[in-house]
Amino acid sequence: MPSRVAACWHFAVPPGAWQAAVTTSSSPTRCSAAVTRCQCLALRLQAALRAREAGSTRFCMGAAWRGPSQVGPRQWERVLEMVRRIRGLGMEVCTTLGMLTPDQAKQLREAGLTAYNHNLDTSPEFYGKITTTRKYEDRLSTLAAVRDAGISVCAGGIIGLGEGEQDRVGLLLQLATLPEHPESVPINRLVAVKGTPLQNQAPPSGLDLVRCIATARIVMPRTVVRLSAGRLDLSSAEQALAFMAGANSIFDGDKLLTTANNDRNEDEQMFQLLGLRSRPAFLNYPSGNDTSRDFAAAGTPSSSSSSNEASSSGCCGGGCGSKQQQQATA
């Protein structure tokens, strides 16, 4: 069981959020046409402050985009401004905005982005049965652009899409054989959404999720493994088993990109019951490469106290045990 668990607050950013009302199946958050750009930015800053006060150390912003090129330069600049402002609050900032070019990844890094999420979803062999709008190679190219820009890589997948066990193994094999392991790997359990092609798909069991988490921990021992979407109907005992199997992060927040999420008070009670503490922001990630460990861009407030706490506690953030064990495996 990890002593520290990273709590990441997720916030959905709909397309055109500052300019017009938006109704999409995957982005429930909306701003009306009467709401100004400054007001909408203020709403997001308020959400980030609420997340920080609730104990979250990372603020994750997701948009149902194919990529930033879809929305144009003005909207893109507003996203960069959000990253700068929220980073200035002393929080880690993560975004998931679809496919990136190397230049777009560099701009996010210069704005102060801590991490970028771009899931592979499933194995290369099963991927074509789930989507045809983009290629598996496109996803790998985005991960390479993120890594080359010096941004922490967050990449995982979803179980319960109709894939077989060999596809779950194939997903983890793909992640584990990247040039560097991702700093964090979210494991999502399908939540069937009405009106989608998978609306009648039965969700995988809690034990299926635990098996995937345990395998991810074995093949990527220093990576943060995130218990992500689909834990709403899991019992505290099932979630405890997931932590024991190797999960050391969860998603906070009222909603994820497309689905409801666990109540914050319930999570606090579970943390107290299991003796878990929130992982401080800006601790070095033991997985990945050297460039992703430098989080000093864009005038980030000093995090020396967090670093000192990490050194004294021996917490590596990746579930690899004591400080001595971390040094031995480095």
Side-chain angles (χ1 to χ4, degrees):
M1 181 82 72
S3 61
R4 296 186 186 275
V5 171
C8 308
W9 190 285
H10 192 281
F11 187 87
V13 182
W18 286 276
Q19 296 175 314
V22 177
T23 304
T24 69
S25 61
S26 57
S27 296
T29 305
R30 299 192 300 165
C31 289
S32 70
V35 177
T36 68
R37 169 190 172 190
C38 291
Q39 287 173 320
C40 274
L41 178 59
L43 290 175
R44 280 144 186 81
L45 290 173
Q46 289 172 8
L49 285 169
R50 190 171 76 250
R52 188 179 67 176
E53 291 169 359
S56 295
T57 55
R58 174 178 289 193
F59 193 75
C60 305
M61 296 181 287
W65 297 348
R66 178 177 174 82
S69 302
Q70 172 190 2
V71 297
R74 293 180 64 185
Q75 178 80 330
W76 176 238
E77 177 53 40
R78 290 162 187 159
V79 170
L80 296 176
E81 184 177 356
M82 276 204 296
V83 171
R84 297 184 194 105
R85 295 285 190 93
I86 295 171
R87 185 63 183 269
L89 297 177
M91 300 183 74
E92 296 181 7
V93 188
C94 176
T95 58
T96 177
L97 306 170
M99 294 180 291
L100 294 181
T101 66
D103 285 344
Q104 289 165 344
K106 183 179 178 181
Q107 288 175 324
L108 283 169
R109 175 60 176 150
E110 291 172 349
L113 190 72
T114 309
Y116 192 83
N117 167 256
H118 197 64
N119 289 334
L120 296 181
D121 292 339
T122 187
S123 69
E125 295 78 14
F126 192 71
Y127 185 78
K129 299 178 182 179
I130 296 300
T131 181
T132 57
T133 59
R134 64 198 75 182
K135 298 179 180 179
Y136 209 78
E137 292 75 14
D138 295 332
R139 292 188 177 275
L140 294 174
S141 294
T142 290
L143 294 183
V146 170
R147 175 66 74 202
D148 290 344
I151 299 171
S152 174
V153 173
C154 174
I158 308 172
I159 65 170
L161 299 173
E163 77 287 346
E165 289 187 355
Q166 70 276 11
D167 294 305
R168 297 175 186 176
V169 172
L171 166 66
L172 296 176
L173 176 64
Q174 188 72 45
L175 293 167
T177 55
L178 291 172
E180 293 88 20
H181 288 170
E183 281 77 8
S184 56
V185 171
I187 304 295
N188 296 276
R189 176 172 170 261
L190 178 71
V191 179
V193 176
K194 186 177 180 180
T196 66
L198 298 177
Q199 62 180 354
N200 297 320
Q201 187 76 24
S205 69
L207 287 179
D208 284 334
L209 180 66
V210 168
R211 290 177 68 188
C212 286
I213 289 171
T215 306
R217 172 57 62 222
I218 290 170
V219 299
M220 294 172 282
R222 298 193 295 171
T223 289
V224 173
V225 179
R226 184 162 295 121
L227 186 57
S228 301
R231 67 184 183 92
L232 186 60
D233 60 346
L234 295 179
S235 67
S236 294
E238 287 174 315
Q239 293 183 72
L241 190 57
F243 291 129
M244 294 178 68
N248 56 351
S249 179
I250 62 170
F251 265 129
D252 264 351
D254 305 323
K255 287 183 178 292
L256 302 181
L257 190 59
T258 60
T259 61
N261 198 29
N262 298 60
D263 181 77
R264 175 68 192 178
N265 291 330
E266 293 177 358
D267 283 343
E268 288 182 352
Q269 293 173 5
M270 179 178 67
F271 271 43
Q272 293 176 2
L273 177 65
L274 301 178
L276 303 175
R277 293 183 295 164
S278 292
R279 179 185 188 274
F282 301 111
L283 293 187
N284 286 338
Y285 287 80
S287 186
N289 63 9
D290 290 337
T291 58
S292 64
R293 300 175 191 175
D294 177 15
F295 295 150
T300 299
S302 172
S303 57
S304 58
S305 60
S306 295
S307 299
N308 292 336
E309 183 179 357
S311 299
S312 61
S313 67
C315 175
C316 70
C320 60
S322 68
K323 184 178 181 182
Q324 290 76 17
Q325 288 173 317
Q326 177 188 353
Q327 293 170 340
T329 56

